[in-house]
Amino acid sequence: MFEYIVRKLLQTIPTIFGVALIIFILFNLVGGDPTYQMLGKHANQKQIQELRHEYGFDQPKYIQFVQYLKQIVTFDFGRSYATKQPIGKMILRGIGPSLTLAIPAFLLTTFLSVIIGLFVSYFRGTFTDKSVVVACVFGMSLPMLAYILFGQYFLAYKLGWFPISGFEVTFPERFEYVMLPILIWVSVSVGYDVRFYRTAILEEVGQDYVRTARAKGLSEPRVFMKHVLKNSMVPILTNLVIEIPMLILGSFLLESFFGIPGLGSITIDAIHNSDFPIIKAMTTLQALLFIFGNLATDILYTVVDPRVRLK
Amino acid sequence: MSTLRRFTISIFIGIFVFSLIGICGCTFKSKTDSSNTLHLSTPSKIKGLDPIYADDLYGGTEVSRTYEGLLQYHYLKRPYTLIPNIAESMPDISKDGKTLIFRLKKGVLFQDDPCFKATGGKGREMLADDVVYSFKRLADPKLVSSGWWIFDGKIVGLNEWREAASKSGAADYSKEVEGLKAIDRYTIQIKLIQRSSQFIYALAMSFTFVVPREAVEQYGKEFINHPVGTGPFRLAEYIPGAKLVWVRNPTYRNELYPSEGAPGDKEAGLLEDAGKPLPLADKLIVQVFEESQPMWLTFLSGKLDLTSIPKDSFQQAITPAKELSHDLQSKGIRLIKYPELDITHFSFNMTDPVLSKNKYLRQAMSLAYDEDQYIEIFYNGRALAAQGPIPPGIAGYDQDFKNPYRQFDIAKAKQLMEKAGYPDGKGLKPLIYATLSDTTSRQSTEYAVKMFREIGVKLKVDTYSWPEFQAVVKNRKAQVYAFAWGADYPDAENFLQLFYSKNVSPGPNDSNYSNPEFDKLYESALTMVDSPERTELYKKMARIVIEDCPWIFGAHRMGYALIQKRLKNYKPHDFDHGRAKYYKIDVPSK
């Protein structure tokens, strides 16, 4: 396994290089020119030249790309064009709020989805199963914006159960502000996840070992919790790992509407402003998270399924 | 098996812990604020709190809470009037108008901060050297301030100082600049290259606010998040992107609420606090609302003292007669309407061979665009159709003038299309129209397409993000585009410069209009003091632009502010970003 991990880690180098190259080309082709935005409405040609020189925009592209690679190695992406803030600090400041929202929402969604998935699989084909599937499809069909508008108007403004918007850095006050966004996140996500897990679980329900377990006289809950769930873990883990990088990158809509200063809104602002240093930092971070997430999944496969061997 | 169990148990524990914390969170009430706390909002994230980067309204407003400049606007008087701020008096100006001498108030202290090591953290006195240092920061090429334009080419020796800094790679702040000198501890001399009656407005803009060198050097890159000013408030808490909390600066000098104002101010209760020491509020909590719905709901729930009205909530708040709805009135909420010093417009690219040579085509398009209908649809009627480049409220605006090319008239527009050589648009290729990709811009574009189609003018619409759009316009790659301009200072020159040929793209003259006659008048007006003669020149320049039609003049927008009953002393102001020091919360009614 050690060799496998080392090999996978070495493979990250060409992958990151490829990601960097694609981002660099894309940004230079279609990313827009931040110069005019940075100088404001009174820019003149001389100032533009000075700024280009100051930020190295006048350097040949290959030198700019080498600079970018250096930044990736040191993970020092300098300062934001738009806000002049150090990017490392912006990211560190944004991770906390994003995770305060994302981790509880993710755990709750996963827990509820797996439980409901098992439950409806147990009642497969019955009215209960069909009702839950219809409810899931209905829930998935509604855009997150609809949940947000409803939640803020009825649950926060009319009923006063939650703050309408805002954020505190102190604990536990900050949780007061993320309760409603978490509820919305779970409501939006649970439908998709239940359907996915139901399918994964149902695939296992038809397997021979399930019949064997039943023939041995095991109770249905025990069959599902002990055997079916364990064998469904591979697709479940795969699905979960795909979602992990998204957790850190945050939810732009929820963060914007609820005033949560997380990474989602930082990223979107950067795209709107052609703030290339932040875009570079966030895409690199995301690529690394995907790579390490996949590696972690591979390792977890061996844990949940002893038949899997990493070579 | 044991692994699966551990995995499941971990999930349960995680959920339990987070739920417990969440439930605990529910039982905690929000921190209680002192009753004299203002709850304000900002619709955009604040980029930072360094004055030299405060290039938007919201950044300027936050910076103005703690930093101050030599001058400020009188809060109540209209038309807008400059008065001293940290300067003791208005400057002595030499006969040729090129030398300005400012004397500083004595005893103005920077707020206490650990950066003042010599005084053990006690804020030291602000001196003339601080003003010179702050102005030089604006010129430092390494710092890339977007506010450099206010000094560019205006102060003797400052451009040379910047040039030298650019060449050497580092600015030498000890090197003297001939036109920017601290004569003694409290006196500053500014020498201008040529007389300019607009220059003085720069000294009330947030770019020129005074910062202490110790703080800049101590906090380095973090200075942007660590303001140390002389102003009425000091930063108590800053969550970038979410919230700023300002508290009264205990070492703020003795500045008083104004004792005189504009007609009607006394009746409106705006002089009740005359002579009282500022600031009147103990604390300001400024929450960032990037979306309008949560801001609106927070205001309705009484947790925000002041708000604008979101477009989608306008009908809920305002009756068809443009008055406040009965429901809101019954809550004690007040509506305040005010004209904004701005203008929206379409620009024709005057370097384009089709548009530049065909005045009739531009005039025809101007006549075919129904601004009144646009104002109803897009601004809920909250705007005034513009007749020229100068908005109401500043000298040069002509209330009685009707622009002959802005009276919606399709028949006349069609006649002009014939004169232009394109009867019913025949022979005219679709014009390249650049616009932004947001919803409102796309809807506005649909409207423009419909309007111009009536006279046979087709638009080829290209949509862009804001940086791309700016690049397209500045590089003159489109033929028609929509823009807006808000005043930097209350002088018609700020609008007329948008047609000066030396300001063409990438400068603010985005239509690239060039007319020697206009330029000559503009240059004459630049050196004139405010006078009826200069106002006449402004009007003359406006008429030239109106006839040449490099723009389709759009609208001067109206602001609608809603304030809670408890908020006192609120008066809209286009330039005084630091006005929160005058606001007061009426404690008994809160």
Side-chain angles (χ1 to χ4, degrees):
Chain A
M1 188 191 284
F2 177 73
E3 274 179 31
Y4 176 83
I5 293 171
V6 171
R7 202 170 59 245
K8 277 277 180 186
L9 287 175
L10 287 175
Q11 281 173 6
T12 59
I13 296 169
T15 312
I16 291 289
F17 182 85
V19 169
L21 189 63
I22 292 168
I23 292 295
F24 188 80
I25 292 170
L26 275 179
F27 184 81
N28 279 286
L29 279 180
V30 296
D33 187 344
T35 317
Y36 302 108
Q37 179 121 335
M38 291 164 79
L39 288 175
K41 55 191 184 180
H42 295 273
N44 62 37
Q45 204 56 52
K46 191 158 187 293
Q47 280 175 270
I48 289 168
Q49 280 166 0
E50 284 174 353
L51 184 138
R52 286 181 176 281
H53 180 69
E54 190 58 41
Y55 281 83
F57 299 158
D58 55 354
Q59 301 266 20
K61 292 287 178 221
Y62 73 91
I63 291 182
Q64 291 186 40
F65 184 64
V66 170
Q67 292 289 345
Y68 176 17
L69 293 179
K70 267 189 204 167
Q71 290 174 334
I72 291 174
V73 173
T74 57
F75 214 80
D76 178 3
F77 290 91
R79 303 176 86 178
S80 155
Y81 291 162
T83 66
K84 310 286 187 294
Q85 301 272 357
I87 290 169
K89 287 208 167 171
M90 285 176 79
I91 291 175
L92 284 177
R93 273 199 301 257
I95 281 180
S98 283
L99 290 184
T100 308
L101 165 63
I103 290 181
F106 175 69
L107 291 175
L108 266 173
T109 306
T110 305
F111 174 72
L112 287 174
S113 305
V114 171
I115 296 295
I116 298 170
L118 280 168
F119 179 75
V120 292
S121 304
Y122 179 70
F123 290 105
R124 183 189 183 184
T126 63
F127 177 74
T128 309
D129 177 31
K130 286 173 185 165
S131 307
V132 172
V133 171
V134 168
C136 286
V137 172
F138 181 73
M140 287 161 58
S141 310
L142 283 175
M144 184 183 267
L145 193 59
Y147 285 94
I148 293 172
L149 295 177
F150 172 83
Q152 282 190 328
Y153 186 76
F154 282 103
L155 305 182
Y157 172 60
K158 281 284 179 192
L159 300 174
W161 290 353
F162 305 98
I164 294 166
S165 173
F167 193 75
E168 289 285 349
V169 283
T170 50
F171 289 97
E173 284 87 349
R174 73 160 64 178
F175 286 102
E176 191 183 339
Y177 288 93
V178 294
M179 292 291 280
L180 181 56
I182 288 173
L183 183 66
I184 292 170
W185 182 315
V186 172
S187 308
V188 171
S189 312
V190 85
Y192 170 83
D193 282 1
V194 164
R195 290 194 66 211
F196 182 83
Y197 297 145
R198 176 182 173 275
T199 309
I201 293 164
L202 282 177
E203 276 197 17
E204 293 299 324
V205 170
Q207 300 289 331
D208 284 346
Y209 71 84
V210 175
R211 197 182 310 127
T212 307
R214 282 176 177 148
K216 277 165 64 181
L218 294 182
S219 65
E220 281 299 307
R222 197 161 169 77
V223 169
F224 269 79
M225 292 303 290
K226 189 176 174 184
H227 295 284
V228 175
L229 180 59
K230 186 181 175 187
N231 283 288
S232 310
M233 285 311 284
V234 169
I236 289 175
L237 277 178
T238 310
N239 186 51
L240 295 183
V241 170
I242 289 170
E243 290 181 21
I244 284 171
M246 299 300 174
L247 299 184
I248 294 176
L249 292 175
S251 165
F252 163 63
L253 264 187
L254 285 172
E255 288 178 8
S256 303
F257 270 84
F258 288 95
I260 298 167
L263 293 182
S265 56
I266 290 174
T267 310
I268 293 293
D269 288 347
I271 293 167
H272 285 159
N273 295 327
S274 289
D275 201 341
F276 194 29
I278 295 182
I279 296 170
K280 285 190 289 192
M282 294 307 293
T283 44
T284 307
L285 180 65
Q286 188 171 18
L288 285 171
L289 287 169
F290 264 110
I291 290 164
F292 289 118
N294 279 322
L295 183 61
T297 321
D298 290 346
I299 295 166
L300 275 175
Y301 284 162
T302 65
V303 177
V304 298
D305 189 346
R307 290 168 299 179
V308 176
R309 290 278 179 272
L310 301 179
K311 288 181 182 171
Chain B
M1 174 56 69
S2 60
T3 310
L4 175 65
R5 188 176 298 145
R6 276 205 302 274
F7 179 75
T8 315
I9 289 170
S10 304
I11 288 185
F12 270 103
I13 290 173
I15 302 272
F16 176 73
V17 169
F18 278 108
S19 306
L20 192 67
I21 295 169
I23 290 162
C24 290
C26 273
T27 62
F28 278 84
K29 287 186 177 173
S30 301
K31 287 178 202 165
T32 48
D33 299 312
S34 86
S35 52
N36 197 7
T37 297
L38 280 164
H39 292 83
L40 304 171
S41 65
T42 181
S44 170
K45 284 179 189 152
I46 302 305
K47 289 194 257 175
L49 298 164
D50 185 338
I52 62 167
Y53 300 125
D55 57 5
D56 61 16
L57 171 65
Y58 313 113
T61 300
E62 295 312 314
V63 160
S64 305
R65 303 202 196 284
T66 196
Y67 288 110
E68 297 177 295
L70 290 170
L71 304 177
Q72 62 181 331
Y73 288 91
H74 194 287
Y75 178 50
L76 300 175
K77 282 186 182 171
R78 301 292 183 276
Y80 293 118
T81 310
L82 282 175
I83 57 169
N85 195 4
I86 54 176
E88 194 180 50
S89 56
M90 293 304 282
D92 293 337
I93 302 176
S94 63
K95 276 186 181 171
D96 63 1
K98 290 185 183 176
T99 304
L100 290 79
I101 305 280
F102 283 95
R103 287 179 188 82
L104 296 179
K105 281 176 185 157
K106 289 177 183 159
V108 174
L109 299 175
F110 285 111
Q111 65 188 46
D112 295 347
D113 191 275
C115 72
F116 299 111
K117 293 195 176 92
T119 52
K122 283 276 172 202
R124 65 162 173 82
E125 189 177 21
M126 190 269 310
L127 300 169
D129 280 334
D130 295 307
V131 179
V132 172
Y133 171 73
S134 303
F135 287 9
K136 283 182 176 171
R137 282 189 82 233
L138 194 58
D140 186 342
K142 273 268 170 214
L143 299 178
V144 196
S145 165
S146 47
W148 165 236
W149 64 273
I150 60 174
F151 285 164
D152 188 9
K154 297 192 175 85
I155 296 178
V156 176
L158 193 57
N159 279 63
E160 290 75 7
W161 182 86
R162 180 180 164 92
E163 201 71 42
S166 196
K167 278 183 189 153
S168 67
D172 179 3
Y173 282 82
S174 62
K175 195 175 166 191
E176 215 168 69
V177 173
E178 194 195 332
L180 188 58
K181 281 183 187 164
I183 294 175
D184 59 39
R185 281 166 66 87
Y186 300 105
T187 312
I188 301 131
Q189 176 185 275
I190 299 173
K191 279 188 184 170
L192 300 179
I193 292 169
Q194 68 167 20
R195 177 201 282 266
S196 164
S197 51
Q198 288 79 35
F199 177 79
I200 200 160
Y201 292 117
L203 306 177
M205 291 170 79
S206 43
F207 291 127
T208 61
F209 287 179
V210 181
V211 301
R213 188 170 190 158
E214 295 95 321
V216 176
E217 289 175 354
Q218 161 121 355
Y219 297 112
K221 288 181 179 177
E222 275 298 302
F223 175 66
I224 199 165
N225 299 321
H226 205 115
V228 182
T230 57
F233 297 100
R234 54 179 298 156
L235 189 65
E237 187 185 356
Y238 182 27
I239 310 174
K243 191 169 85 165
L244 300 99
V245 179
W246 301 94
V247 293
R248 177 194 290 271
N249 173 11
T251 60
Y252 187 56
R253 65 181 181 279
N254 186 30
E255 191 179 326
L256 306 177
Y257 191 94
S259 302
E260 49 184 3
D265 284 349
K266 192 170 183 187
E267 295 73 16
L270 287 167
L271 289 172
E272 282 173 11
D273 289 306
K276 287 187 182 168
L278 299 174
L280 296 175
D282 295 328
K283 190 174 178 183
L284 313 177
I285 298 176
V286 184
Q287 198 177 337
V288 178
F289 290 96
E290 289 196 284
E291 299 293 336
S292 56
Q293 146 137 332
M295 183 183 72
W296 179 241
L297 295 178
T298 305
F299 177 79
L300 292 181
S301 65
K303 290 171 184 158
L304 204 55
D305 291 311
L306 169 67
T307 186
S308 56
I309 307 172
K311 190 163 67 103
D312 296 334
S313 306
F314 188 79
Q315 289 183 336
Q316 179 195 346
I318 304 295
T319 65
K322 301 285 184 283
E323 296 303 330
L324 191 63
S325 72
H326 185 260
D327 183 36
L328 294 184
Q329 275 185 43
S330 66
K331 291 180 180 173
I333 291 169
R334 287 181 291 149
L335 166 68
I336 295 181
K337 302 178 199 174
Y338 57 96
E340 292 176 353
L341 283 184
D342 72 353
I343 185 166
T344 64
H345 61 94
F346 289 101
S347 285
F348 294 115
N349 180 358
M350 298 295 283
T351 58
D352 177 76
V354 176
L355 289 164
S356 63
K357 290 173 189 157
N358 205 326
K359 187 161 77 173
Y360 296 128
L361 173 60
R362 301 193 300 269
Q363 290 172 342
M365 288 176 71
S366 182
L367 277 165
Y369 192 82
D370 186 352
E371 190 65 34
D372 292 333
Q373 193 185 25
Y374 182 88
I375 288 170
E376 273 310 312
I377 296 171
F378 289 90
Y379 298 134
N380 303 106
R382 289 178 289 174
L384 177 73
Q387 303 298 314
I390 303 170
I394 47 181
Y397 173 73
D398 191 344
Q399 195 176 353
D400 303 321
F401 176 73
K402 293 282 176 205
N403 181 338
Y405 308 109
R406 286 305 288 126
Q407 315 309 312
F408 178 58
D409 188 338
I410 290 290
K412 200 172 163 191
K414 284 185 171 177
Q415 285 173 15
L416 284 171
M417 284 298 283
E418 278 190 31
K419 273 188 168 181
Y422 303 113
D424 293 325
K426 281 174 198 156
L428 181 66
K429 285 184 183 168
L431 298 176
I432 299 167
Y433 179 80
T435 186
L436 293 166
S437 51
D438 65 277
T439 311
T440 307
S441 297
R442 279 186 279 121
Q443 289 168 339
S444 298
T445 302
E446 288 295 322
Y447 182 78
V449 167
K450 186 186 86 172
M451 285 286 121
F452 297 135
R453 196 169 49 209
E454 288 293 309
I455 55 167
V457 176
K458 291 178 188 142
L459 299 183
K460 180 187 172 295
V461 178
D462 292 332
T463 54
Y464 300 100
S465 66
W466 175 236
E468 289 171 320
F469 176 75
Q470 282 180 306
V472 164
V473 171
K474 300 290 182 189
N475 291 312
R476 309 173 188 189
K477 286 183 178 166
Q479 290 174 291
V480 190
Y481 25 88
F483 256 121
W485 185 269
D488 296 304
Y489 41 85
D491 189 318
E493 180 274 339
N494 191 234
F495 290 86
L496 294 168
Q497 57 146 347
L498 305 176
F499 305 96
Y500 182 47
S501 70
K502 289 185 183 166
N503 286 343
V504 294
S505 291
N509 177 357
D510 57 61
S511 67
N512 307 303
Y513 174 71
S514 175
N515 181 333
E517 188 192 353
F518 177 92
D519 286 355
K520 205 174 157 190
L521 295 174
Y522 178 81
E523 283 161 9
S524 309
L526 273 184
T527 55
M528 291 169 74
V529 293
D530 187 7
S531 58
E533 292 75 30
R534 191 181 70 169
T535 303
E536 271 314 302
L537 268 191
Y538 284 164
K539 285 182 181 173
K540 205 170 172 184
M541 282 187 266
R543 296 289 169 91
I544 292 172
V545 171
I546 285 162
E547 180 59 30
D548 280 351
C549 212
W551 284 11
I552 297 177
F553 299 101
H556 307 298
R557 291 172 285 196
M558 290 282 295
Y560 275 44
L562 294 186
I563 62 173
Q564 301 285 1
K565 187 180 176 183
R566 60 181 179 260
L567 177 62
K568 303 295 176 194
N569 298 338
Y570 174 78
K571 183 169 180 175
H573 198 297
D574 286 279
F575 307 105
D576 185 5
H577 304 322
R579 60 187 176 274
K581 65 185 172 190
Y582 304 105
Y583 297 168
K584 185 179 80 171
I585 289 296
D586 194 0
V587 179
S589 68
K590 185 162 183 174

